[in-house]
Amino acid sequence: MDVVIFGATGMVGQGVLRECLLDAEIGRVVTVGRSATGQSHPKLLELVVPNVADLSSIEGELAGLDACFFAVGVTSAGLSEADYTKLTHGLTVDVANTLVRLNPRMTFVFVSGTGADSTEAGRVMWARIKGKAENALLKMPFRAVYVFRPAVIIPRHGIRSRTRLYRVGYVFLAPLLPVIRALAPNFATTTERLGRAMIAVARNGYAKHILEAKDINQVSVD
């Protein structure tokens, strides 16, 4: 299986990149982003582009791929609805349109978040926009589309979030994370399990197209 990862420098993206590089059944790993991951591996090809929404200059490297792991995400804090829509829905759809044209047999795995609003009509802005992006992807003619809605994600293997607010939050939450996992095992997952689950779904499919935290943990075990 040959894969492409968008958002490989973020916390979730780092997790899935690590698992892809460790997976013996994945032959080629392409990363696309505005900055390099800084990693080196025989099967890793890093493509740095100034505008991720415009992939015209690298289309030749994006053909013949079996799966996309889309882990690009920004916090809605401080953003207007228009700006958040552009970065969350617009960017995702632009990338997906290019990939489905180049790889109609591709499986597209989109990292959303728990609480995303599929009705697109709720009061919470970020949830509406995430739901809008999910709905747009699920209508596209990929071989399959899967939406991941993780809740609490525990970083492993030295992985850190690039968002300062999240990093600070993890410092305060760190002592409580084992308790959260013990009391609510279906609410929390790790970057390792999340990455493995994304690979498993791309490789084997899944009964549901929207996976909540419980599903993510289940498929990563299977």
Side-chain angles (χ1 to χ4, degrees):
M1 186 165 69
D2 295 337
V3 306
V4 60
I5 304 171
F6 287 80
T9 58
M11 186 177 74
V12 173
Q14 291 174 60
V16 72
L17 174 58
R18 177 182 185 274
E19 299 309 314
C20 285
L21 294 178
L22 289 172
D23 193 310
E25 295 183 14
I26 293 180
R28 181 164 65 112
V29 181
V30 181
T31 62
V32 180
R34 291 184 299 172
S35 58
T37 66
Q39 297 201 41
S40 177
H41 193 279
K43 63 183 179 183
L44 175 62
L45 171 65
E46 293 198 287
L47 302 175
V48 177
V49 293
N51 178 10
V52 178
D54 180 7
L55 303 175
S56 57
S57 64
I58 59 169
E59 284 191 2
E61 301 288 356
L62 299 178
L65 298 172
D66 302 297
C68 172
F69 301 124
F70 195 88
V72 176
V74 296
T75 176
S76 62
L79 293 179
S80 66
E81 181 163 348
D83 287 340
Y84 187 70
T85 299
K86 180 179 179 180
L87 294 171
T88 301
H89 173 269
L91 175 63
T92 304
V93 170
D94 286 344
V95 169
N97 278 329
T98 297
L99 291 179
V100 77
R101 173 170 53 83
L102 297 172
N103 307 281
R105 301 299 299 165
M106 170 181 277
T107 295
F108 194 100
V109 182
F110 174 63
V111 181
S112 182
T114 188
D117 180 9
S118 297
T119 72
E120 305 179 32
R123 294 184 178 182
V124 181
M125 183 268 282
W126 75 264
R128 289 197 309 272
I129 306 309
K130 284 284 191 182
K132 183 178 181 180
E134 292 177 359
N135 290 339
L137 290 171
L138 289 167
K139 294 175 183 176
M140 289 188 173
F142 287 101
R143 181 171 72 89
V145 174
Y146 296 98
V147 172
F148 275 46
R149 292 179 174 177
V152 174
I153 304 172
I154 302 169
R156 297 283 306 277
H157 306 292
I159 291 172
R160 300 176 71 227
S161 172
R162 296 183 67 188
T163 304
R164 184 177 182 276
L165 178 63
Y166 293 167
R167 291 199 305 271
V168 172
Y170 278 116
V171 169
F172 288 100
L173 280 175
L176 300 176
L177 291 177
V179 177
I180 293 173
R181 292 195 68 185
L183 297 180
N186 291 325
F187 188 71
T189 192
T190 66
T191 49
E192 181 178 30
R193 295 188 75 174
L194 182 55
R196 289 179 180 177
M198 293 169 71
I199 294 169
V201 165
R203 178 179 289 138
N204 304 317
Y206 194 65
K208 302 177 183 178
H209 286 275
I210 297 180
L211 289 79
E212 304 288 350
K214 180 179 180 180
D215 302 300
I216 293 167
N217 284 335
Q218 180 65 40
V219 75
S220 68
V221 172
D222 293 342

Short mmCIF file of all heavy atoms in Angstrom, two decimals, residues 3-68:
data_model
loop_
_atom_site.label_atom_id
_atom_site.label_comp_id
_atom_site.label_asym_id
_atom_site.label_seq_id
_atom_site.Cartn_x
_atom_site.Cartn_y
_atom_site.Cartn_z
N VAL A 3 0.85 5.45 0.39
CA VAL A 3 -0.04 6.39 1.06
C VAL A 3 0.52 7.81 1.00
O VAL A 3 1.72 8.03 0.79
CB VAL A 3 -0.25 6.00 2.54
CG1 VAL A 3 -0.73 4.55 2.65
CG2 VAL A 3 1.02 6.20 3.37
N VAL A 4 -0.38 8.77 1.19
CA VAL A 4 0.01 10.17 1.34
C VAL A 4 -0.58 10.70 2.63
O VAL A 4 -1.70 10.35 3.01
CB VAL A 4 -0.46 11.02 0.13
CG1 VAL A 4 -1.98 10.99 -0.03
CG2 VAL A 4 0.04 12.46 0.26
N ILE A 5 0.20 11.52 3.32
CA ILE A 5 -0.24 12.11 4.58
C ILE A 5 -0.21 13.62 4.45
O ILE A 5 0.81 14.21 4.08
CB ILE A 5 0.68 11.69 5.75
CG1 ILE A 5 0.75 10.16 5.87
CG2 ILE A 5 0.18 12.30 7.07
CD1 ILE A 5 1.81 9.69 6.86
N PHE A 6 -1.32 14.25 4.77
CA PHE A 6 -1.39 15.71 4.88
C PHE A 6 -1.48 16.06 6.36
O PHE A 6 -2.27 15.49 7.09
CB PHE A 6 -2.62 16.25 4.14
CG PHE A 6 -2.50 16.22 2.65
CD1 PHE A 6 -2.71 15.04 1.95
CD2 PHE A 6 -2.15 17.37 1.94
CE1 PHE A 6 -2.59 15.00 0.56
CE2 PHE A 6 -2.02 17.33 0.55
CZ PHE A 6 -2.25 16.14 -0.13
N GLY A 7 -0.63 17.01 6.78
CA GLY A 7 -0.61 17.38 8.20
C GLY A 7 0.35 16.53 9.00
O GLY A 7 0.14 16.33 10.20
N ALA A 8 1.41 16.05 8.38
CA ALA A 8 2.34 15.12 9.05
C ALA A 8 3.18 15.77 10.13
O ALA A 8 3.86 15.07 10.88
CB ALA A 8 3.24 14.45 8.02
N THR A 9 3.17 17.11 10.21
CA THR A 9 3.94 17.78 11.27
C THR A 9 3.09 18.02 12.51
O THR A 9 3.61 18.42 13.55
CB THR A 9 4.52 19.11 10.79
OG1 THR A 9 3.45 19.96 10.34
CG2 THR A 9 5.50 18.89 9.65
N GLY A 10 1.77 17.82 12.42
CA GLY A 10 0.90 17.98 13.58
C GLY A 10 0.94 16.74 14.45
O GLY A 10 1.54 15.72 14.11
N MET A 11 0.27 16.82 15.60
CA MET A 11 0.33 15.72 16.56
C MET A 11 -0.25 14.43 15.98
O MET A 11 0.38 13.37 16.04
CB MET A 11 -0.42 16.09 17.84
CG MET A 11 -0.27 15.05 18.94
SD MET A 11 -1.07 15.55 20.48
CE MET A 11 -2.81 15.30 20.03
N VAL A 12 -1.43 14.49 15.40
CA VAL A 12 -2.03 13.30 14.81
C VAL A 12 -1.23 12.84 13.61
O VAL A 12 -0.97 11.64 13.43
CB VAL A 12 -3.49 13.57 14.41
CG1 VAL A 12 -4.07 12.39 13.63
CG2 VAL A 12 -4.34 13.85 15.65
N GLY A 13 -0.82 13.78 12.77
CA GLY A 13 -0.03 13.44 11.60
C GLY A 13 1.29 12.77 11.94
O GLY A 13 1.72 11.83 11.26
N GLN A 14 1.95 13.25 12.98
CA GLN A 14 3.18 12.61 13.43
C GLN A 14 2.93 11.17 13.83
O GLN A 14 3.73 10.27 13.56
CB GLN A 14 3.77 13.37 14.62
CG GLN A 14 4.32 14.75 14.30
CD GLN A 14 4.76 15.46 15.57
OE1 GLN A 14 5.63 14.99 16.29
NE2 GLN A 14 4.13 16.60 15.86
N GLY A 15 1.79 10.95 14.48
CA GLY A 15 1.45 9.60 14.93
C GLY A 15 1.24 8.65 13.77
O GLY A 15 1.77 7.54 13.74
N VAL A 16 0.47 9.09 12.77
CA VAL A 16 0.20 8.20 11.64
C VAL A 16 1.45 8.03 10.78
O VAL A 16 1.70 6.94 10.23
CB VAL A 16 -1.01 8.69 10.81
CG1 VAL A 16 -0.69 9.93 10.02
CG2 VAL A 16 -1.50 7.60 9.86
N LEU A 17 2.28 9.06 10.68
CA LEU A 17 3.53 8.94 9.93
C LEU A 17 4.43 7.89 10.58
O LEU A 17 5.00 7.03 9.89
CB LEU A 17 4.25 10.28 9.87
CG LEU A 17 5.66 10.27 9.25
CD1 LEU A 17 5.63 9.74 7.83
CD2 LEU A 17 6.28 11.67 9.30
N ARG A 18 4.55 7.93 11.88
CA ARG A 18 5.38 6.95 12.58
C ARG A 18 4.89 5.53 12.30
O ARG A 18 5.70 4.64 12.00
CB ARG A 18 5.34 7.21 14.09
CG ARG A 18 6.13 6.19 14.91
CD ARG A 18 6.03 6.46 16.41
NE ARG A 18 6.88 5.54 17.15
CZ ARG A 18 6.51 4.31 17.53
NH1 ARG A 18 5.29 3.88 17.25
NH2 ARG A 18 7.36 3.53 18.19
N GLU A 19 3.59 5.33 12.39
CA GLU A 19 3.06 3.98 12.18
C GLU A 19 3.20 3.53 10.73
O GLU A 19 3.43 2.35 10.46
CB GLU A 19 1.60 3.91 12.63
CG GLU A 19 1.38 4.23 14.10
CD GLU A 19 2.28 3.43 15.02
OE1 GLU A 19 2.41 2.19 14.81
OE2 GLU A 19 2.88 4.02 15.94
N CYS A 20 3.08 4.46 9.80
CA CYS A 20 3.25 4.12 8.38
C CYS A 20 4.69 3.69 8.09
O CYS A 20 4.92 2.74 7.34
CB CYS A 20 2.88 5.31 7.49
SG CYS A 20 1.11 5.62 7.35
N LEU A 21 5.64 4.39 8.67
CA LEU A 21 7.05 4.06 8.44
C LEU A 21 7.41 2.71 9.07
O LEU A 21 8.29 2.00 8.58
CB LEU A 21 7.95 5.16 8.98
CG LEU A 21 7.84 6.51 8.27
CD1 LEU A 21 8.76 7.54 8.94
CD2 LEU A 21 8.17 6.40 6.78
N LEU A 22 6.70 2.35 10.15
CA LEU A 22 6.98 1.08 10.82
C LEU A 22 6.26 -0.10 10.17
O LEU A 22 6.65 -1.24 10.37
CB LEU A 22 6.53 1.17 12.30
CG LEU A 22 7.37 2.05 13.21
CD1 LEU A 22 6.69 2.18 14.58
CD2 LEU A 22 8.78 1.49 13.37
N ASP A 23 5.23 0.18 9.38
CA ASP A 23 4.40 -0.87 8.79
C ASP A 23 5.09 -1.47 7.57
O ASP A 23 5.29 -0.79 6.56
CB ASP A 23 3.04 -0.30 8.40
CG ASP A 23 2.02 -1.36 8.08
OD1 ASP A 23 2.33 -2.26 7.28
OD2 ASP A 23 0.90 -1.30 8.62
N ALA A 24 5.41 -2.75 7.64
CA ALA A 24 6.15 -3.41 6.56
C ALA A 24 5.33 -3.54 5.28
O ALA A 24 5.89 -3.72 4.20
CB ALA A 24 6.59 -4.80 7.02
N GLU A 25 3.99 -3.43 5.39
CA GLU A 25 3.14 -3.59 4.22
C GLU A 25 2.90 -2.27 3.49
O GLU A 25 2.22 -2.24 2.47
CB GLU A 25 1.81 -4.23 4.62
CG GLU A 25 1.97 -5.65 5.14
CD GLU A 25 0.64 -6.29 5.45
OE1 GLU A 25 -0.40 -5.75 5.03
OE2 GLU A 25 0.64 -7.32 6.13
N ILE A 26 3.42 -1.19 4.01
CA ILE A 26 3.33 0.10 3.33
C ILE A 26 4.65 0.36 2.62
O ILE A 26 5.71 0.40 3.24
CB ILE A 26 3.01 1.23 4.32
CG1 ILE A 26 1.60 1.04 4.89
CG2 ILE A 26 3.13 2.60 3.64
CD1 ILE A 26 1.18 2.10 5.88
N GLY A 27 4.56 0.50 1.29
CA GLY A 27 5.78 0.60 0.50
C GLY A 27 6.29 2.01 0.31
O GLY A 27 7.50 2.25 0.27
N ARG A 28 5.37 2.99 0.16
CA ARG A 28 5.78 4.38 -0.08
C ARG A 28 4.93 5.30 0.77
O ARG A 28 3.71 5.14 0.84
CB ARG A 28 5.63 4.72 -1.57
CG ARG A 28 6.07 6.15 -1.93
CD ARG A 28 6.28 6.29 -3.44
NE ARG A 28 5.06 6.12 -4.19
CZ ARG A 28 4.45 7.12 -4.86
NH1 ARG A 28 4.96 8.32 -4.87
NH2 ARG A 28 3.35 6.88 -5.56
N VAL A 29 5.58 6.26 1.41
CA VAL A 29 4.89 7.24 2.23
C VAL A 29 5.24 8.63 1.72
O VAL A 29 6.41 9.04 1.75
CB VAL A 29 5.28 7.13 3.72
CG1 VAL A 29 4.51 8.15 4.56
CG2 VAL A 29 5.04 5.72 4.24
N VAL A 30 4.24 9.36 1.24
CA VAL A 30 4.43 10.72 0.75
C VAL A 30 3.81 11.67 1.77
O VAL A 30 2.68 11.44 2.23
CB VAL A 30 3.75 10.92 -0.62
CG1 VAL A 30 3.96 12.34 -1.12
CG2 VAL A 30 4.26 9.90 -1.63
N THR A 31 4.53 12.70 2.15
CA THR A 31 3.95 13.73 3.01
C THR A 31 3.88 15.04 2.23
O THR A 31 4.77 15.35 1.45
CB THR A 31 4.77 13.96 4.30
OG1 THR A 31 6.09 14.43 3.96
CG2 THR A 31 4.88 12.66 5.10
N VAL A 32 2.80 15.76 2.46
CA VAL A 32 2.60 17.05 1.79
C VAL A 32 2.30 18.10 2.85
O VAL A 32 1.42 17.91 3.70
CB VAL A 32 1.43 16.99 0.78
CG1 VAL A 32 1.26 18.34 0.10
CG2 VAL A 32 1.68 15.90 -0.26
N GLY A 33 3.02 19.22 2.80
CA GLY A 33 2.78 20.29 3.76
C GLY A 33 3.62 21.51 3.45
O GLY A 33 4.43 21.50 2.52
N ARG A 34 3.42 22.53 4.24
CA ARG A 34 4.19 23.77 4.05
C ARG A 34 5.57 23.70 4.68
O ARG A 34 6.41 24.57 4.46
CB ARG A 34 3.41 24.96 4.60
CG ARG A 34 2.16 25.29 3.79
CD ARG A 34 1.47 26.52 4.33
NE ARG A 34 1.06 26.34 5.71
CZ ARG A 34 0.57 27.30 6.48
NH1 ARG A 34 0.46 28.53 6.01
NH2 ARG A 34 0.19 27.04 7.72
N SER A 35 5.81 22.67 5.49
CA SER A 35 7.13 22.49 6.09
C SER A 35 7.44 21.01 6.16
O SER A 35 6.54 20.17 6.16
CB SER A 35 7.18 23.11 7.50
OG SER A 35 6.20 22.54 8.34
N ALA A 36 8.71 20.69 6.20
CA ALA A 36 9.14 19.30 6.24
C ALA A 36 9.02 18.74 7.65
O ALA A 36 9.03 19.48 8.64
CB ALA A 36 10.59 19.19 5.76
N THR A 37 8.92 17.43 7.74
CA THR A 37 8.81 16.79 9.05
C THR A 37 10.17 16.68 9.74
O THR A 37 10.24 16.50 10.95
CB THR A 37 8.24 15.37 8.92
OG1 THR A 37 9.17 14.54 8.21
CG2 THR A 37 6.90 15.39 8.20
N GLY A 38 11.23 16.75 8.95
CA GLY A 38 12.57 16.59 9.53
C GLY A 38 12.99 15.14 9.67
O GLY A 38 14.06 14.85 10.18
N GLN A 39 12.14 14.22 9.19
CA GLN A 39 12.47 12.81 9.29
C GLN A 39 13.11 12.31 7.99
O GLN A 39 12.91 12.87 6.93
CB GLN A 39 11.22 11.99 9.59
CG GLN A 39 10.59 12.32 10.94
CD GLN A 39 9.72 11.19 11.43
OE1 GLN A 39 10.05 10.01 11.31
NE2 GLN A 39 8.58 11.54 12.00
N SER A 40 13.87 11.23 8.13
CA SER A 40 14.51 10.61 6.98
C SER A 40 14.26 9.11 7.03
O SER A 40 14.44 8.48 8.08
CB SER A 40 16.02 10.88 7.00
OG SER A 40 16.67 10.24 5.93
N HIS A 41 13.79 8.56 5.90
CA HIS A 41 13.49 7.13 5.86
C HIS A 41 13.50 6.70 4.39
O HIS A 41 13.10 7.48 3.52
CB HIS A 41 12.12 6.86 6.48
CG HIS A 41 11.86 5.41 6.77
ND1 HIS A 41 11.44 4.52 5.79
CD2 HIS A 41 11.95 4.69 7.92
CE1 HIS A 41 11.29 3.32 6.33
NE2 HIS A 41 11.59 3.40 7.62
N PRO A 42 13.96 5.48 4.10
CA PRO A 42 14.05 5.05 2.69
C PRO A 42 12.73 5.11 1.93
O PRO A 42 12.73 5.32 0.71
CB PRO A 42 14.55 3.60 2.81
CG PRO A 42 15.27 3.56 4.10
CD PRO A 42 14.55 4.50 5.02
N LYS A 43 11.60 4.93 2.60
CA LYS A 43 10.33 4.93 1.87
C LYS A 43 9.56 6.24 2.01
O LYS A 43 8.42 6.35 1.57
CB LYS A 43 9.45 3.76 2.31
CG LYS A 43 9.01 3.75 3.75
CD LYS A 43 8.20 2.46 3.99
CE LYS A 43 7.73 2.35 5.43
NZ LYS A 43 7.01 1.06 5.67
N LEU A 44 10.21 7.27 2.57
CA LEU A 44 9.55 8.56 2.79
C LEU A 44 9.93 9.57 1.71
O LEU A 44 11.11 9.79 1.44
CB LEU A 44 9.93 9.11 4.16
CG LEU A 44 9.41 10.52 4.50
CD1 LEU A 44 7.89 10.56 4.51
CD2 LEU A 44 9.98 10.98 5.85
N LEU A 45 8.92 10.19 1.11
CA LEU A 45 9.11 11.29 0.17
C LEU A 45 8.36 12.50 0.73
O LEU A 45 7.13 12.47 0.88
CB LEU A 45 8.56 10.94 -1.21
CG LEU A 45 8.51 12.10 -2.22
CD1 LEU A 45 9.92 12.59 -2.55
CD2 LEU A 45 7.77 11.68 -3.49
N GLU A 46 9.10 13.56 1.03
CA GLU A 46 8.48 14.77 1.58
C GLU A 46 8.32 15.81 0.47
O GLU A 46 9.29 16.16 -0.20
CB GLU A 46 9.33 15.34 2.71
CG GLU A 46 9.37 14.43 3.93
CD GLU A 46 9.82 15.19 5.18
OE1 GLU A 46 11.02 15.51 5.27
OE2 GLU A 46 8.98 15.45 6.03
N LEU A 47 7.12 16.32 0.32
CA LEU A 47 6.82 17.36 -0.66
C LEU A 47 6.40 18.62 0.09
O LEU A 47 5.38 18.64 0.77
CB LEU A 47 5.71 16.89 -1.60
CG LEU A 47 5.97 15.60 -2.37
CD1 LEU A 47 4.74 15.19 -3.17
CD2 LEU A 47 7.18 15.75 -3.29
N VAL A 48 7.20 19.65 -0.05
CA VAL A 48 6.92 20.93 0.62
C VAL A 48 6.36 21.89 -0.41
O VAL A 48 6.99 22.14 -1.45
CB VAL A 48 8.19 21.51 1.27
CG1 VAL A 48 7.89 22.86 1.91
CG2 VAL A 48 8.74 20.53 2.32
N VAL A 49 5.17 22.42 -0.14
CA VAL A 49 4.50 23.33 -1.07
C VAL A 49 4.07 24.58 -0.31
O VAL A 49 3.70 24.51 0.86
CB VAL A 49 3.27 22.68 -1.74
CG1 VAL A 49 3.70 21.55 -2.67
CG2 VAL A 49 2.30 22.14 -0.70
N PRO A 50 4.11 25.74 -0.96
CA PRO A 50 3.72 26.98 -0.26
C PRO A 50 2.23 27.07 0.01
O PRO A 50 1.80 27.71 0.97
CB PRO A 50 4.17 28.08 -1.23
CG PRO A 50 4.21 27.42 -2.57
CD PRO A 50 4.62 26.00 -2.30
N ASN A 51 1.42 26.42 -0.84
CA ASN A 51 -0.03 26.48 -0.70
C ASN A 51 -0.57 25.06 -0.88
O ASN A 51 -0.61 24.54 -1.99
CB ASN A 51 -0.63 27.42 -1.74
CG ASN A 51 -2.14 27.48 -1.67
OD1 ASN A 51 -2.76 26.97 -0.73
ND2 ASN A 51 -2.76 28.12 -2.64
N VAL A 52 -0.99 24.45 0.22
CA VAL A 52 -1.44 23.06 0.17
C VAL A 52 -2.70 22.90 -0.67
O VAL A 52 -2.97 21.83 -1.21
CB VAL A 52 -1.65 22.52 1.60
CG1 VAL A 52 -2.17 21.08 1.58
CG2 VAL A 52 -0.34 22.59 2.39
N ALA A 53 -3.48 23.96 -0.81
CA ALA A 53 -4.70 23.89 -1.62
C ALA A 53 -4.39 23.78 -3.11
O ALA A 53 -5.24 23.33 -3.89
CB ALA A 53 -5.59 25.11 -1.35
N ASP A 54 -3.18 24.17 -3.52
CA ASP A 54 -2.78 24.11 -4.92
C ASP A 54 -1.69 23.06 -5.08
O ASP A 54 -0.52 23.30 -4.78
CB ASP A 54 -2.28 25.48 -5.39
CG ASP A 54 -1.85 25.48 -6.86
OD1 ASP A 54 -2.07 24.45 -7.54
OD2 ASP A 54 -1.31 26.50 -7.31
N LEU A 55 -2.07 21.90 -5.58
CA LEU A 55 -1.13 20.78 -5.71
C LEU A 55 -0.68 20.56 -7.14
O LEU A 55 -0.09 19.52 -7.46
CB LEU A 55 -1.80 19.51 -5.17
CG LEU A 55 -2.29 19.57 -3.72
CD1 LEU A 55 -3.03 18.29 -3.36
CD2 LEU A 55 -1.13 19.81 -2.76
N SER A 56 -0.92 21.53 -8.00
CA SER A 56 -0.64 21.35 -9.43
C SER A 56 0.83 21.04 -9.70
O SER A 56 1.14 20.29 -10.63
CB SER A 56 -1.07 22.60 -10.21
OG SER A 56 -0.43 23.77 -9.71
N SER A 57 1.73 21.60 -8.91
CA SER A 57 3.16 21.42 -9.18
C SER A 57 3.67 20.04 -8.77
O SER A 57 4.77 19.64 -9.15
CB SER A 57 3.97 22.49 -8.45
OG SER A 57 3.83 22.36 -7.03
N ILE A 58 2.89 19.29 -7.99
CA ILE A 58 3.36 17.99 -7.50
C ILE A 58 2.42 16.85 -7.88
O ILE A 58 2.51 15.75 -7.33
CB ILE A 58 3.56 18.01 -5.97
CG1 ILE A 58 2.26 18.37 -5.25
CG2 ILE A 58 4.69 18.95 -5.57
CD1 ILE A 58 2.32 18.16 -3.74
N GLU A 59 1.51 17.10 -8.80
CA GLU A 59 0.52 16.07 -9.15
C GLU A 59 1.16 14.77 -9.60
O GLU A 59 0.63 13.68 -9.35
CB GLU A 59 -0.44 16.59 -10.23
CG GLU A 59 -1.48 17.56 -9.69
CD GLU A 59 -2.58 17.85 -10.72
OE1 GLU A 59 -2.54 17.25 -11.83
OE2 GLU A 59 -3.46 18.65 -10.40
N GLY A 60 2.31 14.86 -10.26
CA GLY A 60 2.98 13.66 -10.72
C GLY A 60 3.38 12.72 -9.60
O GLY A 60 3.44 11.50 -9.78
N GLU A 61 3.64 13.28 -8.41
CA GLU A 61 4.04 12.47 -7.26
C GLU A 61 2.82 11.93 -6.49
O GLU A 61 2.98 11.11 -5.58
CB GLU A 61 4.91 13.29 -6.29
CG GLU A 61 6.18 13.85 -6.90
CD GLU A 61 7.22 12.77 -7.17
OE1 GLU A 61 6.98 11.60 -6.81
OE2 GLU A 61 8.27 13.11 -7.75
N LEU A 62 1.64 12.43 -6.84
CA LEU A 62 0.44 12.07 -6.08
C LEU A 62 -0.43 11.04 -6.79
O LEU A 62 -1.50 10.69 -6.30
CB LEU A 62 -0.39 13.33 -5.79
CG LEU A 62 0.30 14.40 -4.96
CD1 LEU A 62 -0.62 15.61 -4.79
CD2 LEU A 62 0.70 13.85 -3.59
N ALA A 63 0.01 10.57 -7.94
CA ALA A 63 -0.75 9.55 -8.67
C ALA A 63 -0.30 8.16 -8.23
O ALA A 63 0.82 7.96 -7.77
CB ALA A 63 -0.55 9.73 -10.17
N GLY A 64 -1.20 7.20 -8.35
CA GLY A 64 -0.86 5.82 -8.03
C GLY A 64 -0.82 5.52 -6.55
O GLY A 64 -0.15 4.58 -6.12
N LEU A 65 -1.56 6.29 -5.76
CA LEU A 65 -1.58 6.09 -4.31
C LEU A 65 -2.86 5.37 -3.89
O LEU A 65 -3.91 5.53 -4.49
CB LEU A 65 -1.48 7.44 -3.59
CG LEU A 65 -0.19 8.22 -3.85
CD1 LEU A 65 -0.29 9.62 -3.25
CD2 LEU A 65 1.01 7.48 -3.28
N ASP A 66 -2.74 4.59 -2.83
CA ASP A 66 -3.86 3.78 -2.37
C ASP A 66 -4.68 4.43 -1.26
O ASP A 66 -5.87 4.13 -1.11
CB ASP A 66 -3.34 2.43 -1.85
CG ASP A 66 -2.57 1.67 -2.91
OD1 ASP A 66 -3.18 1.33 -3.93
OD2 ASP A 66 -1.36 1.46 -2.72
N ALA A 67 -4.06 5.30 -0.48
CA ALA A 67 -4.77 5.89 0.65
C ALA A 67 -4.24 7.28 0.97
O ALA A 67 -3.05 7.56 0.75
CB ALA A 67 -4.66 5.00 1.89
N CYS A 68 -5.13 8.12 1.48
CA CYS A 68 -4.75 9.44 2.00
C CYS A 68 -5.16 9.52 3.45
O CYS A 68 -6.30 9.20 3.82
CB CYS A 68 -5.44 10.55 1.21
SG CYS A 68 -5.20 12.20 1.95
#
